[in-house]
Amino acid sequence: MDMEMWTKVDQWFGDHLIGPDDGLDRALAKNVEAGLRAINVPANMGKFLHLLARIQGARQILEIGTQGGYSTIWLGRALPSDGRLITLEINPETAAVARDNIAHAGLDRIVEVRVGRALDSLEGIASEGLPPFDLVFIDADKPNNPNYLEWALKLTRPGSVIIIDNIVRSGYVIDAEETDQNVVGARTVTKLIGSNPNLSATVLQTVGAKNYDGFLMVLVDGS
Ligand code: DHB
Ligand code: MG
């Protein structure tokens, strides 16, 4: 079992369970054209986020880390027409690519891309008195994951769901000697979640076209 097999299996299930979507397919092509790294979630994980948002009945979604907007479109497609998705991107050129992709997917009325350091944008959002987010997807710079969790907890309610991407990091997450700050971020946020009595969480290890990684899923039980 290896990467080649995982990629073929991703493709097979994608062909049978997902199918084409002009907005999503165009976004992937435009991201390549714009020279963005192909670090978007794979289609099956995008669909997983989409289903989770629908199961949750989410109306307000926060995404930390937009990049080209691929997962943004998956999540946006789960919202009702009066729903709202705020997504945070540090790089203005990348945000422009995402905005174009989101508009072509027909989601520009419900999706807002905010440009700047996510920690600053989060402070801004907190000061606006918006209703709590039903779902938060954290997929930005990994060393800040403990800080993003803290903000996510301030901006959600009991019953909200928080998903953190790239938590397994090819298994390095279990290596206590690992000094890579991406791995340290994953370990630290996992321990913070596990020791918080208001949170119920688990991990979904994944293999596929994007190698070996995983989602950490959190249900906010209390606050
Ligand atoms: C990287 C970031 C991601 O969010 C991801 O899913 C894969 C890789 C990265 O920065 O290398
Ligand atoms: Mg990611």
Side-chain angles (χ1 to χ4, degrees), residues 2-19 40-46 206-212:
D2 55 15
M3 182 85 169
E4 192 185 331
M5 172 72 111
W6 301 338
T7 304
K8 281 189 193 157
V9 171
D10 251 1
Q11 186 67 45
W12 188 87
F13 279 106
D15 289 346
H16 288 279
L17 300 179
I18 300 179
N40 55 276
V41 294
N44 61 348
M45 301 309 287
T206 57
V207 293
K210 297 294 162 75
N211 218 323
Y212 170 35

mmCIF file of all heavy atoms in Angstrom, residues 2-19 40-46 206-212:
data_model
loop_
_atom_site.group_PDB
_atom_site.id
_atom_site.type_symbol
_atom_site.label_atom_id
_atom_site.label_comp_id
_atom_site.label_asym_id
_atom_site.label_seq_id
_atom_site.Cartn_x
_atom_site.Cartn_y
_atom_site.Cartn_z
ATOM 1 N N ASP A 2 0.652 2.104 -0.946
ATOM 2 C CA ASP A 2 1.502 3.282 -1.027
ATOM 3 C C ASP A 2 0.719 4.443 -1.634
ATOM 4 O O ASP A 2 -0.465 4.335 -1.931
ATOM 5 C CB ASP A 2 2.745 2.971 -1.860
ATOM 6 C CG ASP A 2 2.365 2.447 -3.233
ATOM 7 O OD1 ASP A 2 1.193 2.601 -3.637
ATOM 8 O OD2 ASP A 2 3.234 1.888 -3.908
ATOM 9 N N MET A 3 1.444 5.518 -1.817
ATOM 10 C CA MET A 3 0.857 6.756 -2.332
ATOM 11 C C MET A 3 0.124 6.562 -3.667
ATOM 12 O O MET A 3 -0.952 7.126 -3.874
ATOM 13 C CB MET A 3 2.021 7.735 -2.527
ATOM 14 C CG MET A 3 1.605 9.062 -2.990
ATOM 15 S SD MET A 3 1.128 10.071 -1.606
ATOM 16 C CE MET A 3 1.022 11.614 -2.452
ATOM 17 N N GLU A 4 0.723 5.740 -4.536
ATOM 18 C CA GLU A 4 0.115 5.550 -5.863
ATOM 19 C C GLU A 4 -1.264 4.903 -5.718
ATOM 20 O O GLU A 4 -2.238 5.301 -6.356
ATOM 21 C CB GLU A 4 1.040 4.665 -6.705
ATOM 22 C CG GLU A 4 0.676 4.637 -8.178
ATOM 23 C CD GLU A 4 1.547 3.658 -8.960
ATOM 24 O OE1 GLU A 4 2.709 3.429 -8.552
ATOM 25 O OE2 GLU A 4 1.060 3.095 -9.950
ATOM 26 N N MET A 5 -1.326 3.891 -4.838
ATOM 27 C CA MET A 5 -2.604 3.211 -4.577
ATOM 28 C C MET A 5 -3.595 4.161 -3.921
ATOM 29 O O MET A 5 -4.765 4.235 -4.318
ATOM 30 C CB MET A 5 -2.335 2.005 -3.668
ATOM 31 C CG MET A 5 -3.577 1.337 -3.159
ATOM 32 S SD MET A 5 -4.419 0.426 -4.464
ATOM 33 C CE MET A 5 -4.130 -1.244 -3.905
ATOM 34 N N TRP A 6 -3.151 4.916 -2.923
ATOM 35 C CA TRP A 6 -4.058 5.843 -2.218
ATOM 36 C C TRP A 6 -4.644 6.854 -3.205
ATOM 37 O O TRP A 6 -5.819 7.210 -3.122
ATOM 38 C CB TRP A 6 -3.324 6.620 -1.125
ATOM 39 C CG TRP A 6 -2.673 5.796 -0.069
ATOM 40 C CD1 TRP A 6 -2.983 4.505 0.275
ATOM 41 C CD2 TRP A 6 -1.590 6.195 0.786
ATOM 42 N NE1 TRP A 6 -2.163 4.095 1.296
ATOM 43 C CE2 TRP A 6 -1.299 5.102 1.623
ATOM 44 C CE3 TRP A 6 -0.836 7.361 0.925
ATOM 45 C CZ2 TRP A 6 -0.297 5.155 2.596
ATOM 46 C CZ3 TRP A 6 0.157 7.426 1.885
ATOM 47 C CH2 TRP A 6 0.422 6.327 2.700
ATOM 48 N N THR A 7 -3.793 7.331 -4.125
ATOM 49 C CA THR A 7 -4.243 8.331 -5.094
ATOM 50 C C THR A 7 -5.291 7.733 -6.026
ATOM 51 O O THR A 7 -6.302 8.353 -6.328
ATOM 52 C CB THR A 7 -3.029 8.856 -5.898
ATOM 53 O OG1 THR A 7 -2.080 9.366 -4.957
ATOM 54 C CG2 THR A 7 -3.422 9.957 -6.859
ATOM 55 N N LYS A 8 -5.051 6.487 -6.466
ATOM 56 C CA LYS A 8 -6.019 5.810 -7.352
ATOM 57 C C LYS A 8 -7.348 5.600 -6.629
ATOM 58 O O LYS A 8 -8.417 5.713 -7.226
ATOM 59 C CB LYS A 8 -5.466 4.448 -7.799
ATOM 60 C CG LYS A 8 -4.455 4.537 -8.915
ATOM 61 C CD LYS A 8 -4.146 3.135 -9.411
ATOM 62 C CE LYS A 8 -2.923 3.108 -10.297
ATOM 63 N NZ LYS A 8 -2.315 1.763 -10.313
ATOM 64 N N VAL A 9 -7.268 5.250 -5.366
ATOM 65 C CA VAL A 9 -8.490 4.999 -4.591
ATOM 66 C C VAL A 9 -9.252 6.312 -4.383
ATOM 67 O O VAL A 9 -10.479 6.367 -4.529
ATOM 68 C CB VAL A 9 -8.160 4.300 -3.245
ATOM 69 C CG1 VAL A 9 -9.385 4.233 -2.338
ATOM 70 C CG2 VAL A 9 -7.626 2.891 -3.507
ATOM 71 N N ASP A 10 -8.523 7.385 -4.096
ATOM 72 C CA ASP A 10 -9.137 8.723 -4.006
ATOM 73 C C ASP A 10 -9.898 9.030 -5.296
ATOM 74 O O ASP A 10 -11.038 9.480 -5.283
ATOM 75 C CB ASP A 10 -8.038 9.801 -3.869
ATOM 76 C CG ASP A 10 -7.993 10.428 -2.480
ATOM 77 O OD1 ASP A 10 -8.785 10.029 -1.616
ATOM 78 O OD2 ASP A 10 -7.149 11.319 -2.268
ATOM 79 N N GLN A 11 -9.237 8.767 -6.406
ATOM 80 C CA GLN A 11 -9.805 9.045 -7.726
ATOM 81 C C GLN A 11 -11.072 8.220 -7.967
ATOM 82 O O GLN A 11 -12.095 8.724 -8.421
ATOM 83 C CB GLN A 11 -8.739 8.730 -8.801
ATOM 84 C CG GLN A 11 -9.132 9.108 -10.207
ATOM 85 C CD GLN A 11 -9.232 10.621 -10.366
ATOM 86 O OE1 GLN A 11 -8.366 11.345 -9.918
ATOM 87 N NE2 GLN A 11 -10.304 11.094 -10.991
ATOM 88 N N TRP A 12 -10.994 6.939 -7.627
ATOM 89 C CA TRP A 12 -12.129 6.025 -7.859
ATOM 90 C C TRP A 12 -13.348 6.461 -7.058
ATOM 91 O O TRP A 12 -14.450 6.592 -7.588
ATOM 92 C CB TRP A 12 -11.720 4.591 -7.506
ATOM 93 C CG TRP A 12 -12.764 3.576 -7.900
ATOM 94 C CD1 TRP A 12 -12.890 2.964 -9.109
ATOM 95 C CD2 TRP A 12 -13.824 3.067 -7.075
ATOM 96 N NE1 TRP A 12 -13.971 2.100 -9.098
ATOM 97 C CE2 TRP A 12 -14.553 2.152 -7.862
ATOM 98 C CE3 TRP A 12 -14.213 3.293 -5.759
ATOM 99 C CZ2 TRP A 12 -15.663 1.456 -7.374
ATOM 100 C CZ3 TRP A 12 -15.322 2.608 -5.266
ATOM 101 C CH2 TRP A 12 -16.038 1.703 -6.080
ATOM 102 N N PHE A 13 -13.141 6.739 -5.773
ATOM 103 C CA PHE A 13 -14.289 7.174 -4.957
ATOM 104 C C PHE A 13 -14.787 8.538 -5.417
ATOM 105 O O PHE A 13 -15.991 8.798 -5.441
ATOM 106 C CB PHE A 13 -13.932 7.192 -3.466
ATOM 107 C CG PHE A 13 -14.021 5.828 -2.836
ATOM 108 C CD1 PHE A 13 -12.879 5.112 -2.513
ATOM 109 C CD2 PHE A 13 -15.260 5.253 -2.562
ATOM 110 C CE1 PHE A 13 -12.957 3.851 -1.941
ATOM 111 C CE2 PHE A 13 -15.351 3.989 -1.986
ATOM 112 C CZ PHE A 13 -14.201 3.289 -1.681
ATOM 113 N N GLY A 14 -13.847 9.385 -5.813
ATOM 114 C CA GLY A 14 -14.244 10.702 -6.328
ATOM 115 C C GLY A 14 -15.135 10.555 -7.549
ATOM 116 O O GLY A 14 -16.183 11.210 -7.662
ATOM 117 N N ASP A 15 -14.747 9.669 -8.451
ATOM 118 C CA ASP A 15 -15.534 9.444 -9.671
ATOM 119 C C ASP A 15 -16.944 8.948 -9.334
ATOM 120 O O ASP A 15 -17.909 9.326 -9.972
ATOM 121 C CB ASP A 15 -14.847 8.412 -10.580
ATOM 122 C CG ASP A 15 -13.581 8.968 -11.219
ATOM 123 O OD1 ASP A 15 -13.384 10.198 -11.169
ATOM 124 O OD2 ASP A 15 -12.784 8.164 -11.742
ATOM 125 N N HIS A 16 -17.047 8.067 -8.323
ATOM 126 C CA HIS A 16 -18.341 7.466 -8.012
ATOM 127 C C HIS A 16 -19.202 8.295 -7.068
ATOM 128 O O HIS A 16 -20.430 8.252 -7.147
ATOM 129 C CB HIS A 16 -18.157 6.052 -7.440
ATOM 130 C CG HIS A 16 -17.724 5.087 -8.493
ATOM 131 N ND1 HIS A 16 -18.611 4.505 -9.366
ATOM 132 C CD2 HIS A 16 -16.497 4.659 -8.851
ATOM 133 C CE1 HIS A 16 -17.935 3.736 -10.215
ATOM 134 N NE2 HIS A 16 -16.658 3.822 -9.919
ATOM 135 N N LEU A 17 -18.558 9.023 -6.168
ATOM 136 C CA LEU A 17 -19.346 9.682 -5.113
ATOM 137 C C LEU A 17 -19.407 11.197 -5.245
ATOM 138 O O LEU A 17 -20.250 11.826 -4.608
ATOM 139 C CB LEU A 17 -18.755 9.345 -3.733
ATOM 140 C CG LEU A 17 -18.717 7.870 -3.349
ATOM 141 C CD1 LEU A 17 -18.073 7.706 -1.975
ATOM 142 C CD2 LEU A 17 -20.132 7.279 -3.333
ATOM 143 N N ILE A 18 -18.536 11.779 -6.014
ATOM 144 C CA ILE A 18 -18.457 13.245 -6.004
ATOM 145 C C ILE A 18 -18.858 13.845 -7.348
ATOM 146 O O ILE A 18 -19.812 14.605 -7.423
ATOM 147 C CB ILE A 18 -17.063 13.720 -5.543
ATOM 148 C CG1 ILE A 18 -16.812 13.191 -4.121
ATOM 149 C CG2 ILE A 18 -16.981 15.250 -5.570
ATOM 150 C CD1 ILE A 18 -15.482 13.531 -3.527
ATOM 151 N N GLY A 19 -18.171 13.482 -8.387
ATOM 152 C CA GLY A 19 -18.553 14.019 -9.696
ATOM 153 C C GLY A 19 -18.066 15.445 -9.899
ATOM 154 O O GLY A 19 -17.505 16.059 -8.995
ATOM 155 N N ASN A 40 -4.402 22.366 -1.192
ATOM 156 C CA ASN A 40 -5.843 22.305 -0.907
ATOM 157 C C ASN A 40 -6.210 20.916 -0.379
ATOM 158 O O ASN A 40 -5.510 19.931 -0.657
ATOM 159 C CB ASN A 40 -6.636 22.600 -2.187
ATOM 160 C CG ASN A 40 -6.230 21.669 -3.316
ATOM 161 O OD1 ASN A 40 -5.248 21.940 -3.999
ATOM 162 N ND2 ASN A 40 -6.925 20.563 -3.491
ATOM 163 N N VAL A 41 -7.318 20.850 0.354
ATOM 164 C CA VAL A 41 -7.804 19.522 0.770
ATOM 165 C C VAL A 41 -8.160 18.729 -0.487
ATOM 166 O O VAL A 41 -8.580 19.310 -1.489
ATOM 167 C CB VAL A 41 -9.047 19.608 1.699
ATOM 168 C CG1 VAL A 41 -8.702 20.248 3.030
ATOM 169 C CG2 VAL A 41 -10.214 20.329 1.030
ATOM 170 N N PRO A 42 -7.991 17.397 -0.468
ATOM 171 C CA PRO A 42 -8.451 16.613 -1.616
ATOM 172 C C PRO A 42 -9.985 16.648 -1.689
ATOM 173 O O PRO A 42 -10.658 16.960 -0.702
ATOM 174 C CB PRO A 42 -7.945 15.205 -1.330
ATOM 175 C CG PRO A 42 -7.598 15.164 0.109
ATOM 176 C CD PRO A 42 -7.349 16.569 0.561
ATOM 177 N N ALA A 43 -10.517 16.313 -2.853
ATOM 178 C CA ALA A 43 -11.963 16.421 -3.080
ATOM 179 C C ALA A 43 -12.765 15.654 -2.029
ATOM 180 O O ALA A 43 -13.774 16.157 -1.513
ATOM 181 C CB ALA A 43 -12.304 15.918 -4.478
ATOM 182 N N ASN A 44 -12.310 14.443 -1.692
ATOM 183 C CA ASN A 44 -13.125 13.659 -0.741
ATOM 184 C C ASN A 44 -13.146 14.279 0.648
ATOM 185 O O ASN A 44 -14.144 14.174 1.365
ATOM 186 C CB ASN A 44 -12.698 12.181 -0.718
ATOM 187 C CG ASN A 44 -11.263 12.013 -0.281
ATOM 188 O OD1 ASN A 44 -10.499 12.978 -0.207
ATOM 189 N ND2 ASN A 44 -10.865 10.793 0.017
ATOM 190 N N MET A 45 -12.072 14.972 1.012
ATOM 191 C CA MET A 45 -12.068 15.644 2.314
ATOM 192 C C MET A 45 -12.852 16.953 2.257
ATOM 193 O O MET A 45 -13.464 17.361 3.243
ATOM 194 C CB MET A 45 -10.634 15.886 2.788
ATOM 195 C CG MET A 45 -9.804 14.616 2.935
ATOM 196 S SD MET A 45 -10.605 13.331 3.917
ATOM 197 C CE MET A 45 -10.428 14.035 5.541
ATOM 198 N N GLY A 46 -12.825 17.596 1.085
ATOM 199 C CA GLY A 46 -13.672 18.782 0.898
ATOM 200 C C GLY A 46 -15.134 18.403 1.029
ATOM 201 O O GLY A 46 -15.926 19.085 1.695
ATOM 202 N N THR A 206 -5.976 10.220 7.653
ATOM 203 C CA THR A 206 -6.308 10.067 6.233
ATOM 204 C C THR A 206 -5.061 9.740 5.419
ATOM 205 O O THR A 206 -3.961 10.209 5.722
ATOM 206 C CB THR A 206 -6.924 11.366 5.658
ATOM 207 O OG1 THR A 206 -6.019 12.451 5.858
ATOM 208 C CG2 THR A 206 -8.253 11.693 6.314
ATOM 209 N N VAL A 207 -5.272 8.929 4.366
ATOM 210 C CA VAL A 207 -4.253 8.767 3.329
ATOM 211 C C VAL A 207 -4.926 9.125 2.012
ATOM 212 O O VAL A 207 -6.151 9.150 1.924
ATOM 213 C CB VAL A 207 -3.691 7.336 3.250
ATOM 214 C CG1 VAL A 207 -2.907 6.999 4.496
ATOM 215 C CG2 VAL A 207 -4.801 6.326 2.986
ATOM 216 N N GLY A 208 -4.138 9.414 1.003
ATOM 217 C CA GLY A 208 -4.730 9.749 -0.291
ATOM 218 C C GLY A 208 -3.737 10.528 -1.115
ATOM 219 O O GLY A 208 -2.522 10.482 -0.859
ATOM 220 N N ALA A 209 -4.278 11.255 -2.081
ATOM 221 C CA ALA A 209 -3.436 12.014 -3.002
ATOM 222 C C ALA A 209 -2.573 13.035 -2.246
ATOM 223 O O ALA A 209 -1.553 13.487 -2.754
ATOM 224 C CB ALA A 209 -4.308 12.716 -4.032
ATOM 225 N N LYS A 210 -2.998 13.405 -1.042
ATOM 226 C CA LYS A 210 -2.229 14.384 -0.249
ATOM 227 C C LYS A 210 -1.425 13.690 0.851
ATOM 228 O O LYS A 210 -1.201 14.259 1.925
ATOM 229 C CB LYS A 210 -3.170 15.447 0.338
ATOM 230 C CG LYS A 210 -3.882 16.293 -0.714
ATOM 231 C CD LYS A 210 -2.887 17.168 -1.485
ATOM 232 C CE LYS A 210 -3.443 17.691 -2.787
ATOM 233 N NZ LYS A 210 -4.392 18.750 -2.672
ATOM 234 N N ASN A 211 -1.047 12.423 0.568
ATOM 235 C CA ASN A 211 -0.189 11.685 1.489
ATOM 236 C C ASN A 211 -0.913 11.292 2.777
ATOM 237 O O ASN A 211 -2.114 11.058 2.762
ATOM 238 C CB ASN A 211 1.078 12.492 1.771
ATOM 239 C CG ASN A 211 2.296 11.598 1.865
ATOM 240 O OD1 ASN A 211 2.213 10.491 2.383
ATOM 241 N ND2 ASN A 211 3.402 12.059 1.338
ATOM 242 N N TYR A 212 -0.187 11.234 3.884
ATOM 243 C CA TYR A 212 -0.710 10.726 5.152
ATOM 244 C C TYR A 212 -0.861 11.891 6.119
ATOM 245 O O TYR A 212 0.114 12.530 6.489
ATOM 246 C CB TYR A 212 0.269 9.675 5.679
ATOM 247 C CG TYR A 212 0.046 9.193 7.092
ATOM 248 C CD1 TYR A 212 -1.237 9.053 7.621
ATOM 249 C CD2 TYR A 212 1.130 8.847 7.894
ATOM 250 C CE1 TYR A 212 -1.423 8.599 8.915
ATOM 251 C CE2 TYR A 212 0.959 8.389 9.181
ATOM 252 C CZ TYR A 212 -0.323 8.274 9.685
ATOM 253 O OH TYR A 212 -0.500 7.825 10.967
#
